[in-house]
Short mmCIF file of all heavy atoms in Angstrom, two decimals:
data_model
loop_
_atom_site.label_atom_id
_atom_site.label_comp_id
_atom_site.label_asym_id
_atom_site.label_seq_id
_atom_site.Cartn_x
_atom_site.Cartn_y
_atom_site.Cartn_z
N GLY A 236 21.30 7.58 15.35
CA GLY A 236 21.22 8.87 15.90
C GLY A 236 21.39 9.96 15.01
O GLY A 236 21.49 11.22 15.40
N LYS A 237 21.46 9.84 13.76
CA LYS A 237 21.61 10.79 12.69
C LYS A 237 20.54 10.80 11.60
O LYS A 237 20.08 9.71 11.44
CB LYS A 237 22.97 10.62 11.95
CG LYS A 237 24.12 10.73 13.10
CD LYS A 237 25.47 10.53 12.48
CE LYS A 237 26.54 10.57 13.57
NZ LYS A 237 27.90 10.34 13.10
N PRO A 238 20.19 11.90 11.14
CA PRO A 238 19.16 11.94 10.06
C PRO A 238 19.44 11.07 8.92
O PRO A 238 20.61 11.01 8.42
CB PRO A 238 19.18 13.38 9.64
CG PRO A 238 19.67 14.24 10.73
CD PRO A 238 20.73 13.33 11.37
N LEU A 239 18.50 10.26 8.50
CA LEU A 239 18.72 9.16 7.46
C LEU A 239 19.06 9.95 6.07
O LEU A 239 18.38 10.95 5.65
CB LEU A 239 17.45 8.37 7.22
CG LEU A 239 17.39 7.55 6.01
CD1 LEU A 239 18.46 6.32 6.18
CD2 LEU A 239 16.03 6.92 5.84
N VAL A 240 20.04 9.46 5.50
CA VAL A 240 20.44 9.81 4.08
C VAL A 240 20.21 8.53 3.27
O VAL A 240 21.12 7.63 3.43
CB VAL A 240 21.80 10.46 4.01
CG1 VAL A 240 22.14 10.55 2.43
CG2 VAL A 240 21.97 11.72 4.74
N TYR A 241 19.17 8.43 2.50
CA TYR A 241 18.90 7.13 1.80
C TYR A 241 19.29 7.32 0.37
O TYR A 241 18.76 7.95 -0.44
CB TYR A 241 17.35 6.84 1.88
CG TYR A 241 17.05 5.55 1.29
CD1 TYR A 241 17.20 4.28 2.10
CD2 TYR A 241 16.54 5.40 -0.03
CE1 TYR A 241 17.00 3.10 1.53
CE2 TYR A 241 16.37 4.20 -0.56
CZ TYR A 241 16.49 2.95 0.17
OH TYR A 241 16.23 1.76 -0.35
N LEU A 242 20.46 6.52 0.11
CA LEU A 242 21.03 6.54 -1.32
C LEU A 242 20.97 5.11 -1.84
O LEU A 242 21.98 4.84 -2.47
CB LEU A 242 22.35 7.22 -1.27
CG LEU A 242 22.54 8.65 -0.67
CD1 LEU A 242 24.00 9.06 -0.57
CD2 LEU A 242 21.72 9.58 -1.62
N ASP A 243 20.08 4.32 -1.56
CA ASP A 243 19.98 3.05 -2.10
C ASP A 243 18.82 2.73 -2.93
O ASP A 243 18.06 1.82 -2.91
CB ASP A 243 19.97 1.96 -0.96
CG ASP A 243 20.32 0.52 -1.31
OD1 ASP A 243 20.90 0.40 -2.51
OD2 ASP A 243 19.99 -0.39 -0.65
N ASN A 244 18.43 3.71 -3.72
CA ASN A 244 17.15 3.80 -4.46
C ASN A 244 17.13 2.80 -5.59
O ASN A 244 16.05 2.39 -6.07
CB ASN A 244 16.86 5.25 -4.97
CG ASN A 244 16.70 6.16 -3.82
OD1 ASN A 244 15.69 6.12 -3.19
ND2 ASN A 244 17.71 6.98 -3.48
N ALA A 245 18.28 2.51 -6.13
CA ALA A 245 18.37 1.44 -7.26
C ALA A 245 17.95 0.05 -6.66
O ALA A 245 17.51 -0.77 -7.44
CB ALA A 245 19.76 1.39 -7.89
N ALA A 246 18.10 -0.10 -5.39
CA ALA A 246 17.69 -1.42 -4.83
C ALA A 246 16.21 -1.36 -4.49
O ALA A 246 15.37 -2.26 -4.79
CB ALA A 246 18.45 -1.65 -3.54
N THR A 247 15.73 -0.34 -3.88
CA THR A 247 14.30 -0.16 -3.71
C THR A 247 14.15 1.26 -3.30
O THR A 247 14.93 1.93 -2.56
CB THR A 247 13.69 -1.02 -2.64
OG1 THR A 247 12.25 -1.06 -2.81
CG2 THR A 247 14.07 -0.69 -1.22
N SER A 248 13.01 1.98 -3.76
CA SER A 248 12.77 3.37 -3.39
C SER A 248 11.87 3.35 -2.14
O SER A 248 11.18 2.46 -1.87
CB SER A 248 12.13 4.07 -4.57
OG SER A 248 10.91 3.41 -4.97
N GLN A 249 11.87 4.58 -1.50
CA GLN A 249 10.94 4.86 -0.39
C GLN A 249 9.44 5.05 -0.91
O GLN A 249 9.32 5.37 -2.13
CB GLN A 249 11.43 5.91 0.48
CG GLN A 249 12.80 5.59 1.04
CD GLN A 249 12.81 4.27 1.91
OE1 GLN A 249 11.70 3.88 2.37
NE2 GLN A 249 13.91 3.73 2.19
N LYS A 250 8.53 5.12 0.02
CA LYS A 250 7.22 5.11 -0.35
C LYS A 250 6.51 6.37 0.21
O LYS A 250 6.56 6.71 1.44
CB LYS A 250 6.32 3.92 0.19
CG LYS A 250 7.15 2.63 0.06
CD LYS A 250 7.68 2.29 -1.30
CE LYS A 250 8.53 0.94 -1.21
NZ LYS A 250 9.31 0.78 -2.52
N PRO A 251 5.77 7.09 -0.63
CA PRO A 251 5.06 8.33 -0.14
C PRO A 251 3.77 7.97 0.73
O PRO A 251 3.33 6.85 0.53
CB PRO A 251 4.73 9.07 -1.39
CG PRO A 251 4.53 8.05 -2.44
CD PRO A 251 5.61 6.94 -2.04
N ASP A 252 3.31 8.93 1.44
CA ASP A 252 2.12 8.71 2.22
C ASP A 252 0.89 8.18 1.48
O ASP A 252 0.20 7.19 1.77
CB ASP A 252 1.56 10.06 2.83
CG ASP A 252 2.51 10.50 4.09
OD1 ASP A 252 3.00 9.71 4.78
OD2 ASP A 252 2.83 11.65 4.08
N VAL A 253 0.74 8.67 0.18
CA VAL A 253 -0.43 8.26 -0.60
C VAL A 253 -0.35 6.77 -0.91
O VAL A 253 -1.34 6.01 -1.13
CB VAL A 253 -0.50 9.05 -1.96
CG1 VAL A 253 -0.97 10.46 -1.55
CG2 VAL A 253 0.72 9.11 -2.73
N VAL A 254 0.82 6.15 -1.19
CA VAL A 254 0.97 4.74 -1.46
C VAL A 254 0.70 3.94 -0.11
O VAL A 254 -0.05 2.84 -0.28
CB VAL A 254 2.38 4.47 -1.95
CG1 VAL A 254 2.64 2.99 -1.96
CG2 VAL A 254 2.52 5.02 -3.28
N ILE A 255 1.28 4.35 0.92
CA ILE A 255 0.99 3.73 2.24
C ILE A 255 -0.46 3.72 2.49
O ILE A 255 -1.06 2.66 2.94
CB ILE A 255 1.85 4.31 3.37
CG1 ILE A 255 3.38 4.19 3.02
CG2 ILE A 255 1.54 3.74 4.71
CD1 ILE A 255 4.17 5.02 3.84
N GLU A 256 -1.11 4.83 2.31
CA GLU A 256 -2.61 4.99 2.58
C GLU A 256 -3.35 4.06 1.65
O GLU A 256 -4.38 3.53 2.03
CB GLU A 256 -2.98 6.47 2.49
CG GLU A 256 -2.52 7.30 3.57
CD GLU A 256 -3.06 6.86 5.03
OE1 GLU A 256 -4.41 6.46 4.96
OE2 GLU A 256 -2.31 6.88 6.01
N ALA A 257 -2.94 3.92 0.39
CA ALA A 257 -3.73 3.03 -0.50
C ALA A 257 -3.83 1.65 -0.23
O ALA A 257 -4.84 1.02 -0.22
CB ALA A 257 -3.23 3.23 -1.98
N VAL A 258 -2.61 1.12 0.39
CA VAL A 258 -2.54 -0.24 0.79
C VAL A 258 -3.38 -0.39 2.03
O VAL A 258 -4.11 -1.35 2.12
CB VAL A 258 -1.04 -0.62 1.11
CG1 VAL A 258 -0.99 -2.04 1.66
CG2 VAL A 258 -0.30 -0.56 -0.20
N LYS A 259 -3.27 0.54 2.94
CA LYS A 259 -4.02 0.53 4.22
C LYS A 259 -5.56 0.51 3.89
O LYS A 259 -6.39 -0.20 4.57
CB LYS A 259 -3.61 1.63 5.00
CG LYS A 259 -4.20 1.63 6.48
CD LYS A 259 -3.53 2.83 7.29
CE LYS A 259 -4.19 2.91 8.68
NZ LYS A 259 -5.45 3.54 8.68
N ARG A 260 -5.90 1.53 3.00
CA ARG A 260 -7.35 1.62 2.64
C ARG A 260 -7.92 0.32 2.05
O ARG A 260 -8.98 -0.01 2.32
CB ARG A 260 -7.52 2.81 1.73
CG ARG A 260 -8.98 3.06 1.40
CD ARG A 260 -9.11 4.37 0.57
NE ARG A 260 -8.38 4.36 -0.60
CZ ARG A 260 -7.16 5.18 -0.77
NH1 ARG A 260 -6.71 5.85 0.20
NH2 ARG A 260 -6.57 5.04 -1.85
N TYR A 261 -7.26 -0.31 1.21
CA TYR A 261 -7.68 -1.64 0.65
C TYR A 261 -7.93 -2.65 1.79
O TYR A 261 -9.05 -3.24 1.72
CB TYR A 261 -6.68 -2.26 -0.34
CG TYR A 261 -6.91 -3.61 -0.64
CD1 TYR A 261 -8.05 -3.95 -1.52
CD2 TYR A 261 -6.27 -4.63 -0.12
CE1 TYR A 261 -8.39 -5.25 -1.82
CE2 TYR A 261 -6.55 -5.98 -0.35
CZ TYR A 261 -7.63 -6.36 -1.25
OH TYR A 261 -8.00 -7.51 -1.49
N TYR A 262 -7.04 -2.74 2.67
CA TYR A 262 -7.27 -3.81 3.71
C TYR A 262 -8.38 -3.34 4.62
O TYR A 262 -9.01 -4.28 5.23
CB TYR A 262 -5.91 -4.04 4.48
CG TYR A 262 -5.07 -5.09 3.74
CD1 TYR A 262 -3.73 -4.56 3.38
CD2 TYR A 262 -5.55 -6.24 3.30
CE1 TYR A 262 -2.93 -5.52 2.76
CE2 TYR A 262 -4.60 -7.13 2.56
CZ TYR A 262 -3.35 -6.62 2.38
OH TYR A 262 -2.59 -7.63 1.67
N GLU A 263 -8.49 -2.06 4.94
CA GLU A 263 -9.52 -1.57 5.81
C GLU A 263 -10.88 -1.63 5.26
O GLU A 263 -11.85 -1.73 6.01
CB GLU A 263 -9.15 -0.26 6.33
CG GLU A 263 -8.07 -0.12 7.41
CD GLU A 263 -7.80 1.25 7.95
OE1 GLU A 263 -8.25 2.22 7.22
OE2 GLU A 263 -7.19 1.43 9.06
N ARG A 264 -11.10 -1.25 3.96
CA ARG A 264 -12.39 -0.98 3.46
C ARG A 264 -12.81 -1.83 2.28
O ARG A 264 -13.94 -1.82 1.92
CB ARG A 264 -12.37 0.52 2.97
CG ARG A 264 -12.26 1.51 4.10
CD ARG A 264 -12.36 2.96 3.68
NE ARG A 264 -13.68 3.17 3.20
CZ ARG A 264 -14.74 3.46 3.92
NH1 ARG A 264 -14.60 3.39 5.29
NH2 ARG A 264 -15.93 3.58 3.35
N GLU A 265 -11.84 -2.54 1.55
CA GLU A 265 -12.20 -3.15 0.28
C GLU A 265 -11.59 -4.59 0.23
O GLU A 265 -11.68 -5.20 -0.87
CB GLU A 265 -11.67 -2.36 -0.89
CG GLU A 265 -12.31 -0.89 -0.96
CD GLU A 265 -11.79 -0.09 -2.11
OE1 GLU A 265 -10.77 -0.55 -2.82
OE2 GLU A 265 -12.29 0.98 -2.21
N ASN A 266 -11.17 -5.08 1.28
CA ASN A 266 -10.44 -6.38 1.24
C ASN A 266 -11.40 -7.57 0.67
O ASN A 266 -12.35 -8.01 1.38
CB ASN A 266 -9.83 -6.75 2.51
CG ASN A 266 -9.14 -8.11 2.51
OD1 ASN A 266 -8.34 -8.27 1.60
ND2 ASN A 266 -9.37 -8.85 3.55
N ALA A 267 -11.19 -8.09 -0.38
CA ALA A 267 -11.83 -9.21 -0.98
C ALA A 267 -11.07 -9.65 -2.23
O ALA A 267 -10.26 -8.94 -2.76
CB ALA A 267 -13.23 -8.75 -1.44
N ASN A 268 -11.40 -10.90 -2.78
CA ASN A 268 -10.75 -11.38 -3.85
C ASN A 268 -11.42 -10.80 -5.05
O ASN A 268 -12.54 -10.30 -5.10
CB ASN A 268 -10.81 -12.89 -3.85
CG ASN A 268 -9.63 -13.61 -4.60
OD1 ASN A 268 -8.98 -13.01 -5.36
ND2 ASN A 268 -9.20 -14.76 -4.14
N VAL A 269 -10.61 -10.82 -6.19
CA VAL A 269 -11.03 -10.16 -7.39
C VAL A 269 -11.53 -11.14 -8.36
O VAL A 269 -11.15 -12.40 -8.36
CB VAL A 269 -9.86 -9.30 -8.11
CG1 VAL A 269 -9.43 -8.18 -7.12
CG2 VAL A 269 -8.55 -10.14 -8.29
N HIS A 270 -12.41 -10.70 -9.38
CA HIS A 270 -12.82 -11.40 -10.50
C HIS A 270 -13.76 -12.55 -10.29
O HIS A 270 -14.34 -13.08 -11.11
CB HIS A 270 -11.67 -11.93 -11.33
CG HIS A 270 -10.70 -10.94 -11.78
ND1 HIS A 270 -9.30 -11.13 -11.97
CD2 HIS A 270 -10.95 -9.67 -12.15
CE1 HIS A 270 -8.82 -10.09 -12.40
NE2 HIS A 270 -9.76 -9.12 -12.57
N ARG A 271 -13.90 -13.05 -8.96
CA ARG A 271 -14.69 -14.22 -8.61
C ARG A 271 -16.00 -14.01 -7.89
O ARG A 271 -16.89 -14.87 -7.85
CB ARG A 271 -13.75 -15.13 -7.84
CG ARG A 271 -12.51 -15.61 -8.47
CD ARG A 271 -11.70 -16.62 -7.62
NE ARG A 271 -10.50 -17.07 -8.23
CZ ARG A 271 -9.31 -16.46 -8.19
NH1 ARG A 271 -9.05 -15.30 -7.54
NH2 ARG A 271 -8.28 -16.98 -8.75
N GLY A 272 -16.09 -12.81 -7.22
CA GLY A 272 -17.29 -12.59 -6.38
C GLY A 272 -18.30 -11.66 -7.07
O GLY A 272 -17.91 -10.86 -7.98
N VAL A 273 -19.60 -11.80 -6.57
CA VAL A 273 -20.54 -10.91 -7.12
C VAL A 273 -21.07 -10.01 -5.95
O VAL A 273 -21.96 -9.23 -6.12
CB VAL A 273 -21.73 -11.75 -7.57
CG1 VAL A 273 -21.51 -12.57 -8.82
CG2 VAL A 273 -22.40 -12.65 -6.52
N HIS A 274 -20.38 -10.15 -4.79
CA HIS A 274 -20.70 -9.29 -3.67
C HIS A 274 -20.02 -7.89 -3.72
O HIS A 274 -19.07 -7.71 -4.52
CB HIS A 274 -20.45 -9.92 -2.30
CG HIS A 274 -18.99 -10.32 -2.20
ND1 HIS A 274 -18.12 -9.47 -1.68
CD2 HIS A 274 -18.43 -11.58 -2.25
CE1 HIS A 274 -16.89 -10.18 -1.56
NE2 HIS A 274 -17.09 -11.38 -1.93
N TYR A 275 -20.46 -6.96 -2.95
CA TYR A 275 -20.02 -5.57 -3.03
C TYR A 275 -18.55 -5.38 -2.92
O TYR A 275 -17.86 -4.78 -3.80
CB TYR A 275 -20.74 -4.73 -1.97
CG TYR A 275 -20.28 -3.34 -2.03
CD1 TYR A 275 -20.72 -2.34 -2.82
CD2 TYR A 275 -19.29 -2.92 -0.99
CE1 TYR A 275 -20.34 -1.07 -2.85
CE2 TYR A 275 -18.79 -1.59 -0.94
CZ TYR A 275 -19.33 -0.68 -1.88
OH TYR A 275 -18.89 0.60 -1.80
N LEU A 276 -17.92 -6.02 -1.89
CA LEU A 276 -16.54 -5.90 -1.70
C LEU A 276 -15.60 -6.48 -2.88
O LEU A 276 -14.71 -5.86 -3.27
CB LEU A 276 -16.03 -6.51 -0.32
CG LEU A 276 -16.43 -5.87 0.91
CD1 LEU A 276 -16.00 -6.51 2.10
CD2 LEU A 276 -16.05 -4.43 0.90
#
């Protein structure tokens, strides 16, 4: 019920929108294995 005060950054830091979007974008638009395929994705 109270605004989060996150002071555990040495354990793990929080993630900005651009990072969340990059992971989402990979799975939505580019999901494929690397180095092995000749197809577009």
Side-chain angles (χ1 to χ4, degrees):
K237 300 177 180 178
L239 171 65
V240 173
Y241 187 78
L242 300 175
D243 194 20
N244 296 285
T247 196
S248 58
Q249 297 301 342
K250 322 305 175 193
D252 287 316
V253 289
V254 169
I255 297 167
E256 287 297 321
V258 175
K259 183 171 180 282
R260 183 170 58 251
Y261 165 75
Y262 280 125
E263 284 186 341
R264 301 185 57 82
E265 297 175 355
N266 182 45
N268 215 328
V269 295
H270 300 147
R271 299 178 176 90
V273 295
H274 58 82
Y275 175 81
L276 288 181

